[in-house]
């Protein structure tokens, strides 16, 4: 039995971002569309989610009954290091406003999107859901991770105290169309795509990459993640089946969403360079931070639900690079 119907009104926050775009694209295929008023989305321009008065007014007018929190302030290692206040405070405001409004306006089901960075820096691998809070966080993105942990725990608290149907997903490193390709504030995949593209176009002989290149990362194409979100929204009930159990014996209401595609940053750089056709030298600046040495998620429960990633890394990079060039030519970037 599906937990969604075509009568539902789904509100996707962060609709202009990478995840929001992929979610809206997938939902349209399933019949939820702007034209029939079943797909609602917000962007930074039309709704400041940090303002609780505006958020409440939006809920009152639009009356969604399913909410997906894909909006967040995100960025790479350097952005997290340089703007910790914004990464903590903005994300707390966004998610607190949305979760509280969803409860107050009697939303039927809420999906909160977290991040694999919530887990301890030196967590046992692969990382199970119950490992949350069992060790120290990676310092370079600690404030972002703390905000996401607060969101997960607020959803958990609402479920326990008020039986509010909140669930959370912890995706691994996402990439794909409409990513943020900022030279300094982007995540590793987008950052490397931009670096090697510009180096090729401008005939630059050397590309400098940050860190040692040794950390291992798991990557998930964002359109695969959108499918996982829909799978969970329509089928997963944490209190009934297919849930991890916490150390107190209670069902955990968040679930990992990872892939089979793990690679070192150095291997990733070489792979991206090959896709783009860059033939120059790659230099590693070991004065820059590496971040967490490895983040491989345990995907037992999402796989039991019948989902797994299907877009392999080579194809995903090719599709992402093609999208990057289209966005560049359309002056979106």
């Amino acid at each position: 039995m599906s937990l969604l119907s075509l009568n539902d009104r789904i509100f996707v926050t962060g609709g202009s971002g990478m995840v929001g775009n992929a979610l809206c694209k997938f939902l349209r295929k399933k019949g939820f569309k702007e034209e029939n008023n079943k797909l609602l989305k917000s962007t930074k321009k039309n709704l400041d989610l940090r303002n609780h008065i505006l958020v409440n007014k939006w809920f009152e007018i639009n009356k969604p009954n399913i909410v997906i929190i894909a909006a967040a302030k995100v960025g790479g290692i350097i952005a997290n290091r340089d703007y910790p206040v914004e990464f903590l405070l903005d994300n707390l405001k966004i998610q607190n406003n949305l979760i509280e409004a969803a409860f107050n306006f009697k939303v039927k089901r809420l999906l909160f999107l977290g991040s694999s960075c919530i887990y301890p820096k030196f967590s046992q691998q692969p990382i199970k859901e119950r490992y949350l809070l069992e060790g120290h966080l990676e310092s370079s993105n600690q404030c972002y991770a703390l905000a996401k942990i607060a969101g997960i725990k607020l959803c958990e608290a609402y479920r326990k105290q008020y039986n509010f149907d909140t669930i959370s997903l912890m995706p691994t490193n996402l990439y794909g169309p409409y990513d943020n390709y900022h030279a300094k504030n982007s995540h590793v995949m987008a950052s490397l795509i931009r670096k090697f593209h510009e180096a090729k176009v401008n005939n630059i002989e050397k590309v400098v990459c940050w860190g040692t290149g040794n950390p291992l990362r798991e990557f998930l194409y964002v359109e695969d993640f959108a499918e996982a979100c829909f799978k969970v929204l329509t089928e997963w009930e944490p209190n009934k089946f297919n849930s991890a159990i916490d150390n107190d014996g209670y069902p955990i209401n968040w679930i990992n969403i990872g892939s089979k595609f793990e690679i070192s940053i150095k291997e990733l750089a070489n792979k991206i360079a090959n896709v783009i056709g860059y033939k120059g030298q790659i230099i590693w600046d070991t004065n820059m931070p590496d971040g967490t040495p490895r983040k491989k998620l345990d995907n037992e429960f999402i796989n039991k639900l019948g989902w797994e990633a299907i877009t392999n890394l080579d194809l995903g990079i090719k599709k992402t690079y093609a999208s990057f060039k289209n966005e560049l030519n359309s002056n979106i970037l």
Side-chain angles (χ1 to χ4, degrees):
M1 178 180 173
S2 176
L3 297 170
L4 292 185
S5 79
L6 285 175
N7 293 321
D8 288 322
R9 291 163 56 82
I10 303 178
F11 177 29
V12 178
T13 70
S16 61
M18 176 178 66
V19 174
N21 263 292
L23 281 167
C24 290
K25 179 180 177 181
F26 191 87
L27 288 168
R28 291 184 194 107
K29 291 180 181 178
K30 295 297 182 179
F32 299 92
K33 300 179 180 180
E34 291 93 334
E35 298 79 41
N36 60 19
N37 212 26
K38 300 303 180 184
L39 176 59
L40 313 167
K41 65 179 183 179
S42 70
T43 66
K44 291 179 182 178
K45 292 181 179 180
N46 66 20
L47 178 60
D48 185 352
L49 297 172
R50 298 168 300 178
N51 185 316
H52 75 278
I53 295 174
L54 295 179
V55 170
N56 285 336
K57 182 179 291 187
W58 194 97
F59 271 77
E60 184 178 7
I61 294 170
N62 293 280
K63 297 179 174 56
N65 64 338
I66 304 292
V67 172
I68 303 176
I69 303 180
K73 181 173 179 60
V74 298
I77 287 178
I78 301 305
N80 274 270
R81 183 196 68 186
D82 292 346
Y83 305 105
V85 171
E86 287 80 2
F87 276 92
L88 181 56
L89 192 57
D90 284 3
N91 282 310
L92 285 173
K93 287 178 180 178
I94 290 167
Q95 62 204 34
N96 288 351
N97 289 342
L98 288 167
I99 295 168
E100 187 175 19
F103 175 73
N104 289 337
F105 287 91
K106 297 180 171 35
V107 163
K108 182 173 77 172
R109 178 156 250 232
L110 179 141
L111 172 59
F112 176 72
L113 303 184
S115 166
S116 61
C117 73
I118 64 167
Y119 292 114
K121 178 175 182 176
F122 298 110
S123 182
Q124 182 179 335
Q125 308 284 323
I127 304 170
K128 297 181 181 293
E129 286 87 351
R130 62 182 173 82
Y131 294 166
L132 181 65
L133 298 177
E134 289 191 350
H136 294 289
L137 297 167
E138 158 61 33
S139 60
S140 63
N141 60 6
Q142 185 180 77
C143 285
Y144 176 75
L146 285 170
K148 286 297 183 181
I149 291 169
I152 296 161
K153 288 298 181 180
L154 182 57
C155 287
E156 180 184 61
Y158 266 110
R159 175 175 281 274
K160 286 182 176 179
Q161 186 172 341
Y162 295 111
N163 200 31
F164 180 31
D165 189 5
T166 59
I167 52 176
S168 301
L169 297 187
M170 300 305 112
T172 190
N173 298 277
L174 298 172
Y175 71 100
Y178 301 103
D179 203 346
N180 169 22
Y181 295 96
H182 190 278
K184 290 185 178 180
N185 296 338
S186 56
H187 289 116
V188 60
M189 180 76 78
S191 174
L192 291 175
I193 286 174
R194 181 155 201 153
K195 277 179 184 286
F196 287 113
H197 173 80
E198 291 180 346
K200 180 186 176 183
V201 169
N202 297 307
N203 295 313
I204 298 173
E205 295 181 357
K206 298 179 180 179
V207 168
V208 178
C209 298
W210 294 341
T212 64
N214 294 326
L216 294 170
R217 289 293 181 269
E218 176 184 24
F219 289 95
L220 177 62
Y221 190 61
V222 70
E223 292 183 2
D224 288 357
F225 179 59
E227 184 178 7
C229 291
F230 190 79
K231 184 81 171 175
V232 168
L233 269 174
T234 54
E235 298 183 23
W236 187 48
E237 295 185 86
N239 293 343
K240 292 186 178 180
F241 67 94
N242 195 35
S243 297
I245 303 299
D246 67 18
N247 294 327
D248 296 319
Y250 293 104
I252 293 174
N253 74 317
W254 63 90
I255 191 167
N256 290 338
I257 310 292
S259 73
K260 301 167 287 189
F261 313 114
E262 186 182 35
I263 189 172
S264 75
I265 301 301
K266 188 170 290 185
E267 291 173 306
L268 177 66
N270 289 329
K271 194 178 284 288
I272 292 172
N274 287 335
V275 167
I276 291 174
Y278 177 71
K279 305 297 184 182
Q281 187 177 3
I282 302 174
I283 307 295
W284 292 92
D285 182 358
T286 57
N287 291 317
M288 301 301 284
D290 269 339
T292 303
R294 188 187 184 202
K295 291 192 298 181
K296 180 69 182 77
L297 295 181
D298 184 298
N299 298 307
E300 175 186 356
F301 293 102
I302 188 61
N303 291 159
K304 281 183 177 179
L305 201 60
W307 175 92
E308 67 176 24
I310 59 173
T311 306
N312 67 54
L313 199 54
D314 291 291
L315 176 59
I317 292 172
K318 289 176 183 177
K319 292 170 72 174
T320 302
Y321 182 51
S323 174
F324 167 80
K325 288 190 291 184
N326 287 336
E327 292 168 49
L328 199 62
N329 292 335
S330 300
N331 294 317
I332 295 175
L333 299 178

